[in-house]
Amino acid sequence: MDVHEFSTEWKRGFYEAIARRRDMRAFEPDPIPDATLARILQAANQAASVGFSQPWNFLLVRDPARRKALHAHVTAERLKGAERFEGERREKYLSLKLEGILEAPLNVCITCDRERFGPAVLGRNTIIDADLYSVVGAVQNFWLAARVEGVGVGWVSILRQEWLAEFLGLPDNVVPVAYLCVGYVKSFPEQPTLQTRGWLPKLPLAELVYEDRWGSKPPAAMIDELGLSSVLDGIE
Amino acid sequence: MDVHEFSTEWKRGFYEAIARRRDMRAFEPDPIPDATLARILQAANQAASVGFSQPWNFLLVRDPARRKALHAHVTAERLKGAERFEGERREKYLSLKLEGILEAPLNVCITCDRERFGPAVLGRNTIIDADLYSVVGAVQNFWLAARVEGVGVGWVSILRQEWLAEFLGLPDNVVPVAYLCVGYVKSFPEQPTLQTRGWLPKLPLAELVYEDRWGSKPPAAMIDELGLSSVLDGIE
């Protein structure tokens, strides 16, 4: 079967996932059924990859003792991170909840095997990090699929990659790309938390689009289209 | 409104997008309506970003003369890339169509502003490339949304990033992350082309999942779930 443009209902489901995905930091303890988790992982495994190299692996981190050690590492890194901000901004930073490592019933580390299928990967001769980018595509698929299943995901980026690699026993050719807290949530907020809390504003799309060269604006008709408040308004 | 788990129809639409997205190299010349392109870009602008930094911009490259110059660059890089393979493998590489820069009605470069909102970004103190990863999330959203709209996307990774940055007039703090060919297609193939053409096999998910540590397999019940042939079979 070959489907081109999706039906209104299918489009709706897709765009709702895009619009409702959130970076979550608070979780309910209920376990995620294996079948649900498998669907989410299947979505990740269907991401694009440079030269079809599929360089990802998925480590399901469940052991509470191990997660406690990881939590201690992240707590220390969070305090170090605070030193980069000053005054009110630092207070706000420290007031934000930045992970849910122990609360979430599951953590998932998504890694990149930098030598999968050997050193010569089609399309990686010019952009050496294209394999890492492929893994991030898998992360995004995972995150969206989780949302569709009603499962929250939070990407914890306040940790040292070398520390994590050692902690998870990764071989030399494998690097961690994303460390995710995964679990059911009380509710998904209407807006990203960092937006609601006034950390940074949401950037309007029309200001982010150029034509042919940096700084050159697209025609007015296109700018008008970009100004639509929500993509869900525009579905025909 | 707060929706947790999506309805069957919405889930279906989402998972169909995940399953049917392809890396396309052949395009029809028909232009993409502004409203359609705006929806795709809105989806990209709703990706997650480290510390809500939204470091992306979207350059719509339409000018045929400029695209000709870019095409010449990619053609040269493609021949250089062939030198990394030998014998039959090189012949196969050279037989593959690796871009559609001139055929597609639109090219889109998605960039990363490495200094948006200043040098201190929440969550970027430990993982310095987290901003690039955020941009890749936007690329994945773009790609999936395009598929939903019946629009094909091909990520061209055989080009030099510094060359492209200069070509597009990017400021020093902005780097190109993805260069995409975008347009309607005759059909989306059932499987990824590099799989069909025998470049590399599809990896079974069950072989890619570990528990707690690298190399440690999850319980048998989980492995069984991972073995489902298609995620679409598993939707309830």
Side-chain angles (χ1 to χ4, degrees):
Chain A
M1 185 176 70
D2 178 50
V3 176
H4 275 168
E5 190 176 341
F6 279 19
S7 68
T8 304
E9 265 308 288
W10 282 15
K11 268 195 187 181
R12 180 76 192 265
F14 170 77
Y15 280 121
E16 292 283 355
I18 292 283
R20 292 175 189 279
R21 185 207 48 74
R22 290 289 170 274
D23 196 358
M24 301 302 299
R25 306 293 166 177
F27 300 92
E28 302 291 293
D30 317 66
I32 300 160
D34 283 355
T36 305
L37 180 57
R39 285 199 293 275
I40 298 170
L41 290 166
Q42 289 283 11
N45 193 35
Q46 289 176 83
S49 59
V50 62
F52 205 56
S53 57
Q54 310 156 73
W56 42 71
N57 283 87
F58 308 93
L59 276 86
L60 315 177
V61 183
R62 298 188 195 263
D63 179 33
R66 293 184 65 72
R67 286 202 271 149
K68 247 183 205 163
L70 194 104
H71 182 258
H73 169 77
V74 170
T75 303
E77 290 298 331
R78 176 168 174 269
L79 292 174
K80 274 196 235 167
E83 291 165 20
R84 303 189 61 182
F85 301 102
E86 284 178 12
E88 229 181 281
R89 196 91 175 137
R90 184 185 296 182
E91 274 173 48
K92 187 169 258 184
Y93 172 93
L94 287 170
S95 78
L96 295 166
K97 188 159 188 286
L98 299 180
E99 48 79 26
I101 292 169
L102 298 179
E103 282 166 56
L106 175 69
N107 294 184
V108 178
C109 183
I110 306 187
T111 61
C112 180
D113 182 345
R114 310 214 64 173
E115 293 175 11
R116 185 153 296 168
F117 296 122
V121 169
L122 191 163
R124 243 192 94 197
N125 54 315
T126 41
I127 305 182
I128 200 70
D129 284 345
D131 59 341
L132 298 174
Y133 295 177
S134 303
V135 173
V136 176
V139 173
Q140 186 72 3
N141 275 13
F142 183 101
W143 207 335
L144 290 165
R147 180 61 193 86
V148 164
E149 301 287 349
V151 171
V153 170
W155 184 330
V156 181
S157 54
I158 302 184
L159 39 74
R160 302 220 160 261
Q161 286 167 301
E162 318 80 65
W163 187 93
L164 186 60
E166 164 113 27
F167 180 74
L168 297 172
L170 305 185
D172 288 345
N173 51 310
V174 177
V175 296
V177 172
Y179 194 88
L180 309 174
C181 302
V182 182
Y184 291 103
V185 298
K186 273 220 172 65
S187 68
F188 291 93
E190 198 71 24
Q191 291 190 327
T193 308
L194 290 178
Q195 183 178 1
T196 315
R197 295 287 302 271
W199 181 260
L200 284 175
K202 178 66 196 160
L203 295 176
L205 178 59
E207 290 175 17
L208 300 173
V209 178
Y210 295 129
E211 184 140 326
D212 283 326
R213 285 185 70 83
W214 185 268
S216 161
K217 284 281 170 198
M222 184 67 201
I223 292 180
D224 286 350
E225 288 291 349
L226 297 173
L228 280 176
S229 61
S230 159
V231 67
L232 289 171
D233 300 342
I235 299 180
E236 282 140 24
Chain B
M1 186 175 72
D2 178 51
V3 176
H4 276 167
E5 192 176 340
F6 279 20
S7 67
T8 305
E9 264 308 287
W10 281 15
K11 267 194 188 181
R12 180 78 194 264
F14 170 76
Y15 280 120
E16 291 284 355
I18 293 283
R20 291 175 189 281
R21 185 207 47 73
R22 291 289 170 272
D23 195 358
M24 301 302 300
R25 306 293 166 176
F27 301 92
E28 301 292 293
D30 317 66
I32 300 161
D34 284 355
T36 305
L37 180 57
R39 284 199 294 276
I40 297 170
L41 290 166
Q42 289 283 10
N45 193 35
Q46 289 176 85
S49 59
V50 61
F52 205 55
S53 57
Q54 310 156 72
W56 42 72
N57 283 87
F58 308 93
L59 275 86
L60 314 177
V61 184
R62 298 188 195 265
D63 179 32
R66 292 185 65 73
R67 287 201 272 148
K68 245 182 206 164
L70 193 106
H71 182 257
H73 169 77
V74 170
T75 303
E77 291 298 331
R78 177 168 173 268
L79 292 173
K80 273 196 237 168
E83 289 164 20
R84 303 189 60 183
F85 301 102
E86 282 178 16
E88 229 181 280
R89 196 91 176 137
R90 183 185 296 183
E91 274 173 50
K92 187 168 259 185
Y93 172 93
L94 287 170
S95 78
L96 295 166
K97 188 158 188 287
L98 298 180
E99 49 79 26
I101 292 169
L102 298 179
E103 280 166 57
L106 175 69
N107 294 184
V108 177
C109 183
I110 307 187
T111 61
C112 180
D113 182 345
R114 310 213 67 174
E115 293 174 10
R116 186 153 294 169
F117 297 122
V121 169
L122 191 163
R124 242 192 93 197
N125 53 315
T126 41
I127 305 183
I128 200 69
D129 285 345
D131 59 340
L132 298 174
Y133 295 176
S134 303
V135 173
V136 177
V139 173
Q140 186 71 2
N141 276 12
F142 182 102
W143 207 336
L144 290 166
R147 180 60 192 87
V148 163
E149 300 288 349
V151 172
V153 170
W155 183 330
V156 182
S157 54
I158 302 183
L159 39 74
R160 301 220 160 261
Q161 287 168 302
E162 318 81 64
W163 187 93
L164 186 60
E166 164 113 26
F167 181 73
L168 297 171
L170 304 185
D172 287 346
N173 51 309
V174 177
V175 297
V177 172
Y179 194 88
L180 309 173
C181 302
V182 182
Y184 291 103
V185 298
K186 273 221 173 65
S187 69
F188 291 92
E190 197 72 24
Q191 291 190 326
T193 308
L194 290 177
Q195 183 179 1
T196 316
R197 296 286 303 272
W199 182 259
L200 284 175
K202 178 67 197 161
L203 296 175
L205 179 58
E207 290 175 18
L208 300 173
V209 178
Y210 295 129
E211 185 140 325
D212 284 325
R213 286 185 69 83
W214 185 268
S216 161
K217 284 280 170 199
M222 183 68 201
I223 292 181
D224 286 350
E225 288 291 349
L226 297 173
L228 281 175
S229 60
S230 157
V231 67
L232 289 172
D233 300 342
I235 298 180
E236 283 141 22

